[in-house]
């Protein structure tokens, strides 16, 4: 098991290292002078000031030296300084992290609950309800989050005045963004879960459990869902990524503070250190989630523990 | 219809009735009893009327994109300040925006830009995927390792974030948006092409072709590529919807098309500022995006179901 963990850590490390290198390459590819980007188009900065900035940010060093410096800083948890906001990127991320974590956590909970309920209730039935739910899932997973958010805003905030229009002041402000972020993910999860449950319901152990007198819903919850959870688990990495990506759009629609807003602002002003900081953080989170999922699956399913997998 | 069903039953083995005899009426009603099941993974099957409606929506979108002038008299840039923010009605079906421009006309004219953006992005992504995928198959062990690692890195990033990163490097604008989305989607198609090509390479006809002394390039061009491409193109149908969605998302974020263009995502972004008083400015362009994406998804999944057994549908996302 220790070897399995080690190998996966090494692979995740390679991915994060790759993302960091890619980020550094992106920084070098940025057309134009970073000092000019930093100072903005309308500037009267003297050549001395420019030179000072160049030295401060280390732009005067050759590329390989800067690459090593950059990697060294990353290892010690230093993501550099923002060009625009004149603050360390880590500070900026720390400030904006909490609202995004809240949003993602709320969405993931909501998505899983919706998916489990709709899949457990409709799996294996040929009813009108199933047809309606399936259609709703299809619509949910193809609806762009930015439009869904706008529709929800129009209906629930502007028409019915149920929720605040913008911000992240309290829990009521979390409801609409979380629903917006959760629905498309819930659509996908529900489909995969239903497929899994339906496969499980055909297995002999289900018949055996029914014969032992378990109720219909009891069989679904105790036996079928467990089997269906495995394919769902493999989607966790994808879900994490899609929630983190979707947060950019949802935060923009609802005017919420968070990593997404920070990233978007940085992209618009081409504040590369901030862009790269957020992107690297996301890649790291996704890579770590992938390892965890992999290990959990090994722990859950002994059939996967072959020599090749360990 | 029935012949398709029986065919897939044999192919995918779903017709093996594991429990028909033991069906005690206990509610295990999923057990297959013949050719009643539609092809493809169960959760994904789409009822046939839905496919017809979706195809009709797509045809309409394509028609509107080709000949917008047939549906509306005005021009998308006709300004009429006296008629600003008028609600939907007989004069203006979808109402007017803050400059008095007819929203219906703008949605109609926006179809071309929006569809072209999605088409260009997915086309570029598939082309890139074919090059990348074949390179990993042909490049030998070292190249394969490096490219697999690169794909792993790119796949660890959500596509929209990857696209934003590219836009941050290249700058905003329509062309850069297309490039950004293509780069964000390339790893998905690269991996898929690789998988498909590996399958084809192991087949008997490729062995025969090699045995006949055909050159590597000829074998790839004549046998591997055409056979590996089918499933890839099927997945690209759904991918077109995704690309369209990302393109309008980037426009919505203010990084793609710029005013006074009529592009659906951009119109939605402009409409956001007037939501409280004039919901129609944002809701209709958004509905156009959503309707098109849903239609593409339905048609794409139907195509995938027809290819069932050959395509891993999970790669489509």
């Amino acid at each position: 098991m220790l070897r399995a963990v080690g190998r996966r850590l090494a692979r995740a490390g390679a991915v994060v290292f790759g993302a960091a290198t890619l980020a550094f390459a992106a920084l070098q590819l940025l057309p134009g002078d970073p000092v000019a980007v930093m100072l903005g188009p309308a500037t009267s900065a003297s050549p001395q000031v420019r030179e000072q900035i160049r030295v401060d940010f280390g732009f005067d060093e050759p590329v390989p030296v800067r690459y090593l410096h950059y990697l060294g800083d990353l290892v010690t948890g230093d993501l550099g300084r923002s060009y625009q906001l004149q603050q360390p990127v880590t500070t900026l991320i720390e400030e904006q992290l909490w609202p995004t974590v809240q949003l993602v956590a709320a969405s993931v909970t909501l998505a899983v609950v919706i998916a489990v309920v709709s899949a457990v209730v409709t799996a294996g039935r040929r009813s009108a309800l199933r047809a309606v739910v399936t259609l709703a899932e299809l619509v949910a997973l193809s609806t762009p989050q930015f439009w869904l958010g706008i529709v929800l805003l129009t209906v629930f905030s502007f028409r019915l005045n149920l929720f605040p229009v913008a911000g992240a002041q309290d829990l009521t402000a979390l409801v609409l963004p979380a629903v917006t972020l959760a629905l498309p993910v819930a659509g996908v999860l529900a489909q995969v879960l239903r497929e899994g449950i339906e496969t499980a319901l055909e297995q002999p152990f289900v018949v055996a459990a029914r014969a032992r007198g378990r109720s219909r819903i009891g069989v679904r919850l105790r036996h079928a869902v467990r089997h269906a959870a495995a394919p769902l688990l493999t989607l966790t990495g994808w879900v994490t990524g899609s929630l983190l990506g979707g947060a950019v759009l949802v935060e923009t629609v609802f005017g919420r503070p968070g990593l997404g807003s920070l990233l978007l602002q940085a992209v618009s002003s081409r504040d590369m250190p901030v862009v790269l900081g957020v992107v690297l953080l996301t890649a790291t989170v996704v890579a770590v989630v992938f390892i965890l999922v992999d290990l959990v699956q090994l722990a859950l399913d002994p059939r996967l523990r072959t020599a090749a997998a360990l | 219809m029935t012949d398709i069903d029986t065919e897939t039953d044999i192919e995918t083995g779903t017709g093996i009735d594991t429990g028909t005899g033991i069906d005690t009426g206990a509610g295990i009603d999923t057990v297959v009893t013949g050719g009643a099941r539609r092809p493809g993974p169960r959760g994904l099957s789409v009822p046939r009327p839905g496919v017809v409606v979706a195809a009709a929506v797509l045809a309409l979108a394509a028609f509107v994109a080709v000949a917008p002038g047939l549906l509306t008299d005005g021009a998308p840039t006709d300004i009429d300040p006296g008629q600003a923010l008028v609600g939907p009605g007989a004069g203006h079906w979808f109402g007017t925006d803050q400059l008095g421009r007819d929203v219906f006309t703008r949605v109609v004219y926006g179809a071309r830009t929006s569809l072209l953006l999605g088409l260009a992005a997915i086309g570029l992504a598939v082309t890139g995927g074919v090059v990348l995928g074949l390179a990993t198959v042909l490049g030998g062990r070292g190249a394969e390792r490096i490219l697999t690692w690169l794909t792993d890195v790119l796949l660890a990033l959500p596509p929209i974030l990857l696209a934003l990163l590219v836009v941050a490097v290249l700058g905003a604008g329509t062309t850069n948006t297309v490039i950004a989305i293509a780069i964000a989607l390339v790893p998905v198609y690269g991996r898929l092409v690789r998988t498909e090509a590996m399958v084809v390479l192991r087949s008997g006809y490729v062995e025969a072709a090699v045995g006949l002394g055909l050159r590597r390039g000829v074998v790839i061009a004549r046998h591997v590529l055409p056979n590996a491409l089918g499933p890839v193109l099927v997945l690209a149908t759904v991918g077109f919807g995704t690309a369209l969605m990302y393109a309008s998302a980037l426009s919505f974020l203010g990084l793609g098309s710029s005013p006074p263009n009529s592009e659906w995502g951009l119109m939605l972004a402009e409409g956001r500022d007037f939501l409280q008083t004039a919901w129609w400015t944002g809701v209709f362009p958004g509905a156009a995006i959503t309707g098109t994406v849903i239609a593409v998804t339905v048609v794409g999944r139907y195509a995938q179901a027809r290819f069932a057994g050959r395509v891993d549908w999970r790669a489509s996302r």
Side-chain angles (χ1 to χ4, degrees):
Chain A
M1 198 63 191
L2 212 62
R3 219 185 116 203
V5 175
R7 273 179 60 161
R8 278 164 184 78
L9 274 178
R11 211 161 65 205
V15 166
V16 172
F17 167 73
T21 306
L22 205 70
F24 183 78
L27 206 56
Q28 305 310 312
L29 283 172
L30 191 68
D33 182 7
V35 179
V37 173
M38 220 179 293
L39 292 170
T43 176
S44 53
S46 65
Q48 284 83 7
V49 172
R50 285 170 185 273
E51 197 46 47
Q52 189 56 49
I53 295 174
R54 212 172 286 281
V55 174
D56 282 352
F57 277 85
F59 295 139
D60 54 339
E61 290 169 298
V63 172
V65 175
R66 277 159 65 187
Y67 179 57
L68 289 179
H69 269 286
Y70 169 82
L71 286 184
D73 286 346
L74 276 189
V75 170
T76 56
D78 179 0
L79 291 168
R81 284 179 72 84
S82 157
Y83 290 168
Q84 302 286 334
L85 303 161
Q86 308 303 337
Q87 277 184 42
V89 173
T90 40
T91 314
L92 289 168
I93 288 182
E94 265 167 42
E95 280 168 9
Q96 301 294 324
L97 190 61
W98 183 231
T100 303
V101 169
Q102 264 183 323
L103 176 64
V104 170
S107 305
V108 106
T109 317
L110 199 61
V112 169
V113 169
I114 296 175
V116 169
V117 169
S118 80
V120 168
V121 170
T122 60
R125 290 173 200 210
R126 297 194 164 276
S127 61
L129 179 70
R130 184 197 151 126
V132 171
V133 171
T134 316
L135 182 70
E137 283 160 9
L138 192 66
V139 170
L141 71 89
S142 348
T143 304
Q145 280 158 337
F146 49 96
W147 188 68
L148 184 61
I150 278 186
V151 171
L152 291 178
L153 258 185
T154 310
V155 175
F156 291 101
S157 295
F158 290 124
R159 298 281 136 190
L160 302 174
N161 285 320
L162 285 177
F163 300 105
V165 171
Q169 55 280 23
D170 52 23
L171 278 182
T172 52
L174 188 61
V175 175
L176 290 185
V179 170
T180 309
L181 195 53
L183 278 182
V185 174
V188 174
L189 292 185
Q191 290 195 330
V192 176
L193 191 58
R194 181 180 306 104
E195 205 191 330
I197 293 179
E198 289 183 347
T199 310
L201 283 178
E202 288 172 13
Q203 304 293 320
F205 65 78
V206 168
V207 182
R210 286 286 292 149
R212 282 201 309 274
R214 247 188 210 293
S215 69
R216 251 169 107 147
I217 198 79
V219 167
R220 276 159 195 255
L221 287 176
R222 264 193 74 87
H223 298 276
V225 168
R226 279 194 187 185
H227 272 253
L232 210 59
L233 206 58
T234 55
L235 280 179
T236 317
W238 170 81
V239 167
T240 316
S242 91
L243 287 177
L244 288 172
V248 182
L249 293 162
V250 171
E251 283 173 4
T252 309
V253 171
F254 290 96
R256 263 180 80 86
L259 285 184
S261 311
L262 180 69
L263 175 65
L264 184 62
Q265 208 187 342
V267 169
S268 309
S269 58
R270 309 183 89 177
D271 192 348
M272 288 312 276
V274 178
V275 176
L276 300 179
V278 175
V279 167
L280 263 184
L281 179 69
T282 312
T284 312
V285 169
V286 174
V288 169
V289 168
F290 267 116
I291 310 184
L292 289 180
V293 167
D294 223 21
L295 291 177
V296 167
Q297 267 177 328
L298 278 186
L300 283 185
D301 193 344
R303 287 171 301 180
L304 295 175
R305 288 178 219 147
T306 57
L310 295 169
Chain B
M1 185 60 224
T2 26
D3 55 321
I4 296 167
D5 278 341
T6 20
E7 213 178 278
T8 12
D9 276 347
I10 296 160
E11 261 176 36
T12 55
T14 38
I16 303 163
D17 303 8
T18 39
T20 359
I22 329 165
D23 191 349
T24 49
I28 310 158
D29 46 6
T30 43
V31 176
V32 185
T33 48
R37 187 167 281 162
R38 285 181 187 283
R42 263 153 309 189
L44 308 175
S45 57
V46 180
R48 188 152 279 224
V51 178
V52 174
V53 172
V57 169
L58 276 193
L60 177 69
F63 172 72
V64 164
V66 173
L70 289 179
L71 277 156
T72 171
D73 300 329
T77 45
D78 280 348
I79 293 173
D80 186 357
Q83 291 273 301
L85 298 176
V86 175
H92 300 282
W93 289 359
F94 290 178
T96 62
D97 67 4
Q98 72 279 11
L99 297 172
R101 295 175 296 193
D102 183 51
V103 175
F104 177 72
T105 307
R106 285 176 65 71
V107 168
V108 164
Y109 276 90
R112 184 179 294 175
T113 323
S114 296
L115 294 184
L116 274 183
L117 284 180
L119 218 52
I122 196 65
L124 212 55
V126 170
T127 313
V130 167
V131 172
L132 196 71
L134 287 184
T136 52
V137 172
L138 296 175
R141 209 129 183 81
E144 189 199 309
R145 282 231 171 121
I146 291 173
L147 287 168
T148 314
W149 172 64
L150 191 69
T151 322
D152 271 347
V153 172
L154 292 178
L155 284 175
L157 290 169
I160 192 82
L161 287 195
L162 195 52
L164 281 174
L165 176 64
V166 176
V167 169
V169 173
L170 298 178
T174 324
T175 318
N176 290 347
T177 318
V178 169
I179 297 173
I181 296 164
I183 291 178
L185 295 177
V186 155
V188 177
Y189 292 97
R191 183 154 287 187
L192 188 67
V193 170
R194 186 189 127 83
T195 317
E196 291 299 329
M198 297 293 267
V199 173
V200 176
L201 274 177
R202 278 195 293 267
S203 66
Y205 54 84
V206 168
E207 237 170 76
V210 173
L212 284 171
L214 286 178
R215 275 180 295 120
R216 230 173 141 71
V218 178
V219 174
I220 297 290
R222 217 182 268 169
H223 299 288
V224 179
L225 194 55
N227 286 298
L229 213 52
V232 176
L233 290 181
V234 168
L235 271 187
T237 332
V238 181
F240 165 58
T242 316
L244 178 74
M245 196 148 93
Y246 286 142
S248 45
L250 289 178
S251 292
F252 174 75
L253 294 174
L255 301 167
S257 298
S258 48
N261 282 328
S262 49
E263 193 274 336
W264 292 339
L266 175 69
M267 292 173 68
L268 188 53
E270 289 175 331
R272 189 166 55 117
D273 301 333
F274 303 94
L275 271 189
Q276 188 149 24
T277 48
W279 54 267
W280 52 87
T281 50
V283 168
F284 287 117
I289 303 171
T290 310
T292 314
V293 175
I294 293 175
V296 171
T297 311
V298 171
V299 171
R301 288 206 168 172
Y302 176 70
Q304 272 168 267
R306 294 294 298 268
F307 261 81
R310 287 210 58 194
V311 186
D312 178 12
W313 63 273
R314 283 187 183 87
S316 68
R317 291 187 310 265

